Amino acid sequence: MSQDLNKINKIKTGGTFLTSVVGSEEVFCKEKFSDEERMMFEAMSEFAEKEILPLAHKELETKDEKLVRSLLKQMGELGFLGIDVPEKYGGSELSKTGMCILAEAIARGGSGSFTTVWNVQTSIGSLGIIWYGNEEQKAKWLPGICTGEKIAAFALTEPNAGSDATNSQTVGVLSEDGKHYVLNGQKIFISNGAWAEIFTVACKIDGKFSSIVVEKGTPGFEIGAEEKKMGMHGSSTVPLYFKDCKVPVENLLGKVGEGAGPAFCGLNIGRFKLGAGSTGGMMLALKEAIAYAKQRKAFGQFIADFGSIRDKVADCVVKTYTTESMCYGVIGVQQKAIDELDKNDPLYYVNQGNVTGKYIAENSICKVYGSESASSVIDQCLQIFGGYGFIEEYPMAQAYRDTRINRIWEGTNEINRMLCTRDMITKTLSGELGFKEYLGQIEHSLNSGSVSSYKGQFEKEVHCIEAAKALYAISLNEALSKYGQDIGLEQAIIENLANILIYAFVADRTLSRVLQNMDYYNLKKEIVPSLCAQVFIAEEGPRVLDFTNKILNQIYDGNIPSDLKSKIENVRKNLVIDSNTIGMKKQIAEKAMELGAYPVRTIG
C-alpha cells in the first residue's frame, strides 16, 4: 500500500496486521530470544526429554496419579509451574513469551496427557486466581499450585453449555446467613478433575455469569468417574456434580457478574499455548518419522530417498516453521502491550487479563492453525511409518489419537473461527483498525494496478499477502453491507472470512520473521526459513480466491456485480505465484534428512 498508515498502526490493539504492510511490524521470534529465554527453553526441553519422554508411551498413559504428582513437584522445584504467579506467592512471574517457550519445550516429552496436566495447571486452572483474585485468595491457593502440592482445574463446560459457555445452568444462590453460595449443577469434561484440589468454576449467580473457586472436599461437591477417551489416556477427565454445595462467599473471584474475565481471558492464553505446544509435538513427530524412513527399505532402497516421502517431510517442516512464526509473533505483541502496563496499578493483573482480550482474533488463529497443522503433520508422519504407524508399539498411533482433541477443546475450531471474524468486525465498526481508510487505500491501489509498492527479494510473496488482505477487507465490507448486525447468523460466510484472515496472518508473521532475520540467516547459511515462507505463500495463496468467491456468490446469489468482479480479477494475478515449490520442497527435505530432524536450528 502506498499511503502512510503509521497513525493507524500505533493503536494498541490486535488486528492491526490487516492494515500494516508485511514486514512493517517487528515480530517476536526464536531468533530474538534473550539469553534467559534460551536457557529456559533448554531447561524445559531437557526435562521433557529426560524425565517425560522415557515414560510417555507406557507409564504416563495409565493415569498414574502418584507419578503425575511426582513430576509436577519436580517441575515446581524448577520453577515451571508458577510461570505467571507473582514471586511473593512462590511464583517465577515469567513473561508471556516465557510461557510460550515452555509450552513448546514440554511437548518434546511426547506425552499429550502430561502436557495437558501442565497446561491446565499453568493457565486456565490458575490464571483466574492470579488475575482476578484478591490478596487473601492468592495467598491461600497460589503457593500450592506453584510447588505442585496442589493441582488446579477449570470447570466451564456443561452438558448443555459447551462452546456456548455463558449459557451455564450451574447456579449459585446466596445462603440466608450470607456466608455461602449454594451451588447446584453439573460440569463435564474437566481436565485434571479427579486429581485437583482447586477448581475455578463458572456459574450463574443472580442470573449473572460469575466465577468461584471450589475446593475438593467441599460438602455437596462430588467428582464423577473417569471418561473413557479416544486419546489422552493418561490425563484425568471427569464430570463434576454440585448438589447444595456450600461454597464460602470469600471464594468468589471478583464480583457477581464478573465471571467473564476469569473464564475467557484464561482461555485466550490457553489458545496460544496450544499452538505453541503443537510446534513441539510436530518437531518430535518429524524426528521419529525421518529416523524410521532412514532405516526402512522398500524396492531395494531406503524410503527416505523416495520423492513422495521427502515431499511429506517438507510439508511437515513448512507447517512447523509457519506455526512457530505465528505463535511467537502472537504472544510477542501481547507481551509488548503488557510491558506498557503500570505494575504499581492495583489493577495490574486484571489489566494483564484484559490485554489478552484485545487479541482474541490472533489467539484464536493460533489455536486453529496450530491444531490443524499438528493434525496434518501427525497424519503425514504416520503415513511415512506405513502399517507400523497403525501399531500401538510405535509412537505415531498415540500421537494421532492425542492430537485429535486439539481441534475441539479451548473452544472448537468452528467457534474460534467465529471469534476471529467477530473480533475483527467489532474493531472494524469501532474504528480501531482504520478500516475505512484501509478500504480507501485498496480502491486507490487497485485503480493503479498494484496492491503494494513493495520492491525486494520477496516481492511476489509480499504482493500475494497484501492481495489476500485486500480481498478480506472487500469481502468483509460487502458482507457487512448486506447483512449488517445479522452477519452473525451467516456462519458459512464467517468461516470463510476467518479462513482468509488465518492465511493472511500466518503468511504475514512468517514472512515478516524472514525479512527481519535475513542477515542472520545469510550468516548461518540457513536457507530453510525463506523456502518455507515461499512455499506456504505460493501453495496456500490461491485458496483465498476460493474463499472469496464463496462469500461473494452467497451475498449476490451467484451474480457478482461486474465492478466487483473486476476488482477481484485485478487482485488475482498477485495471489497466483509462478514459483517452483516442488524444487524448493526438495531443498527443505534435503536439509531435514541431513539433520535427521526439523532443520531450522535457531536455538537449542
Side-chain angles (χ1 to χ4, degrees):
M1 299 295 173
S2 58
Q3 294 182 13
D4 187 3
L5 285 174
N6 286 337
K7 184 176 180 181
I8 296 168
N9 295 337
K10 287 180 180 178
I11 299 172
K12 285 295 179 182
T13 187
T16 58
F17 66 91
L18 177 67
T19 53
S20 302
V21 178
V22 178
S24 62
E25 293 183 339
E26 185 179 50
V27 298
F28 182 73
C29 53
K30 285 184 173 177
E31 292 82 2
K32 292 177 68 66
F33 279 9
S34 65
D35 289 342
E36 182 183 9
E37 287 167 334
R38 288 175 184 272
M39 287 190 291
M40 188 191 313
F41 182 87
E42 290 165 1
M44 179 63 105
S45 296
E46 182 179 11
F47 180 85
E49 291 166 4
K50 289 185 177 180
E51 303 297 333
I52 301 174
L53 188 58
L55 309 173
H57 301 297
K58 290 185 180 179
E59 292 88 346
L60 283 172
E61 282 288 277
T62 63
K63 289 188 177 69
D64 186 334
E65 181 180 352
K66 184 177 179 180
L67 175 60
V68 168
R69 287 186 179 275
S70 174
L71 288 171
L72 279 179
K73 288 177 183 178
Q74 289 182 59
M75 296 185 81
E77 292 173 1
L78 293 168
F80 293 152
L81 298 183
I83 302 170
D84 264 296
V85 178
E87 292 182 5
K88 68 177 180 176
Y89 304 117
S92 47
E93 198 166 8
L94 299 177
S95 65
K96 297 298 175 291
T97 53
M99 182 184 286
C100 199
I101 289 166
L102 296 182
E104 178 189 333
I106 193 174
R108 296 185 174 210
S111 174
S113 295
F114 185 75
T115 297
T116 297
V117 177
W118 177 83
N119 273 329
V120 174
Q121 182 86 350
T122 58
S123 57
I124 56 177
S126 58
L127 283 174
I129 300 170
I130 295 167
W131 286 340
Y132 299 95
N134 57 39
E135 290 299 315
E136 291 76 16
Q137 291 169 337
K138 292 176 184 179
K140 181 178 182 180
W141 294 311
L142 293 181
I145 290 174
C146 291
T147 61
E149 293 292 332
K150 304 287 186 181
I151 294 179
F154 176 67
L156 181 67
T157 304
E158 298 182 3
N160 296 311
S163 296
D164 182 17
T166 56
N167 189 36
S168 174
Q169 294 178 25
T170 297
V171 176
V173 177
L174 187 64
S175 62
E176 289 185 6
D177 60 9
K179 294 182 179 180
H180 298 87
Y181 288 108
V182 182
L183 263 60
N184 282 281
Q186 177 184 354
K187 299 291 181 178
I188 59 172
F189 306 150
I190 307 306
S191 297
N192 290 1
W195 306 331
E197 287 84 12
I198 301 165
F199 299 78
T200 300
V201 179
C203 62
K204 289 282 184 70
I205 298 176
D206 296 334
K208 299 174 182 177
F209 190 67
S210 307
S211 292
I212 194 166
V213 176
V214 180
E215 296 180 273
K216 189 174 187 176
T218 301
F221 175 36
E222 181 182 344
I223 297 171
E226 290 283 358
E227 301 287 358
K228 296 178 180 178
K229 299 171 294 190
M230 181 179 81
M232 298 292 184
H233 291 160
S235 67
S236 172
T237 307
V238 298
L240 308 177
Y241 302 98
F242 304 92
K243 186 174 182 180
D244 296 330
C245 176
K246 297 176 69 174
V247 184
V249 293
E250 54 265 29
N251 286 20
L252 183 69
L253 292 174
K255 299 177 182 178
V256 171
E258 294 181 347
F264 300 129
C265 290
L267 282 174
N268 280 325
I269 294 295
R271 284 165 184 154
F272 83 68
K273 280 179 69 180
L274 189 151
S278 294
T279 64
M282 287 189 270
M283 290 176 193
L284 181 61
L286 184 59
K287 183 177 180 179
E288 299 275 10
I290 291 173
Y292 177 81
K294 284 185 171 182
Q295 59 87 30
R296 172 68 172 175
K297 280 190 173 183
F299 305 106
Q301 62 177 314
F302 293 110
I303 65 171
D305 296 326
F306 291 171
S308 61
I309 298 297
R310 292 193 165 215
D311 191 70
K312 293 181 190 303
V313 167
D315 279 338
C316 293
V317 173
V318 170
K319 283 186 168 61
T320 304
Y321 183 79
T322 52
T323 301
E324 70 172 16
S325 300
M326 168 200 64
C327 287
Y328 285 107
V330 165
I331 196 53
V333 71
Q334 290 175 78
Q335 185 59 53
K336 279 186 178 180
I338 288 171
D339 288 342
E340 294 185 5
L341 298 176
D342 180 4
K343 288 188 176 181
N344 296 316
D345 187 337
L347 296 177
Y348 172 67
Y349 290 101
V350 172
N351 291 335
Q352 275 198 31
N354 293 339
V355 163
T356 69
K358 299 289 284 183
Y359 296 88
I360 289 173
E362 288 90 339
N363 288 323
S364 288
I365 289 172
C366 259
K367 194 273 182 180
V368 172
Y369 186 76
S371 64
E372 292 180 0
S373 293
S375 290
S376 175
V377 167
I378 299 300
D379 186 78
Q380 294 272 49
C381 290
L382 188 150
Q383 193 71 15
I384 290 172
F385 272 81
Y388 289 107
F390 208 68
I391 303 301
E392 290 290 346
E393 284 79 6
Y394 289 77
M396 299 315 303
Q398 179 183 329
Y400 190 84
R401 286 186 283 101
D402 286 352
T403 198
R404 184 59 184 86
I405 188 61
N406 288 335
R407 284 146 56 197
I408 298 173
W409 57 17
E410 305 285 3
T412 66
N413 283 12
E414 291 76 15
I415 289 296
N416 275 283
R417 280 184 164 87
M418 189 176 298
L419 291 173
C420 287
T421 303
R422 285 181 175 176
D423 187 43
M424 295 300 286
I425 289 172
T426 299
K427 288 170 179 166
T428 293
L429 297 178
S430 70
E432 287 183 69
L433 300 181
F435 190 73
K436 289 183 180 179
E437 295 88 341
Y438 181 65
L439 278 174
Q441 279 201 351
I442 291 171
E443 293 288 344
H444 173 80
S445 298
L446 291 178
N447 290 335
S448 66
S450 174
V451 293
S452 173
S453 59
Y454 176 87
K455 301 291 182 183
Q457 179 181 353
F458 300 100
E459 184 174 324
K460 292 187 297 185
E461 287 75 22
V462 171
H463 290 184
C464 181
I465 298 169
E466 294 305 317
K469 294 179 185 179
L471 285 185
Y472 176 81
I474 290 170
S475 299
L476 178 58
N477 188 58
E478 293 293 328
L480 286 171
S481 298
K482 170 72 174 180
Y483 300 108
Q485 293 183 348
D486 292 333
I487 191 172
L489 301 175
E490 299 296 327
Q491 293 188 4
I493 286 180
I494 284 177
E495 283 210 2
N496 280 286
L497 282 167
N499 288 336
I500 301 173
L501 191 71
I502 291 167
Y503 167 77
F505 182 67
V506 175
D508 183 296
R509 297 298 93 162
T510 301
L511 189 56
S512 292
R513 177 186 178 186
V514 170
L515 288 169
Q516 75 182 32
N517 288 296
M518 279 309 297
D519 289 343
Y520 173 84
Y521 289 149
N522 288 336
L523 180 66
K524 297 289 186 179
K525 296 182 180 179
E526 178 65 85
I527 64 170
V528 173
S530 60
L531 293 174
C532 286
Q534 288 173 291
V535 168
F536 175 77
I537 293 165
E539 291 193 338
E540 297 297 318
R543 298 185 65 202
V544 171
L545 290 168
D546 294 334
F547 301 139
T548 301
N549 283 326
K550 287 179 182 178
I551 294 167
L552 297 180
N553 276 305
Q554 167 64 17
I555 292 172
Y556 291 102
D557 196 23
N559 295 297
I560 303 173
S562 58
D563 62 329
L564 194 52
K565 276 188 175 181
S566 178
K567 289 179 184 178
I568 296 170
E569 194 57 39
N570 285 338
V571 174
R572 178 188 296 273
K573 62 184 179 181
N574 295 286
L575 285 165
V576 181
I577 300 175
D578 289 329
S579 188
N580 181 12
T581 57
I582 291 178
M584 287 189 280
K585 286 163 81 171
K586 285 182 178 180
Q587 294 181 70
I588 294 170
E590 182 63 33
K591 292 293 183 181
M593 290 297 180
E594 286 177 6
L595 191 62
Y598 176 65
V600 183
R601 311 299 287 177
T602 55
I603 61 171

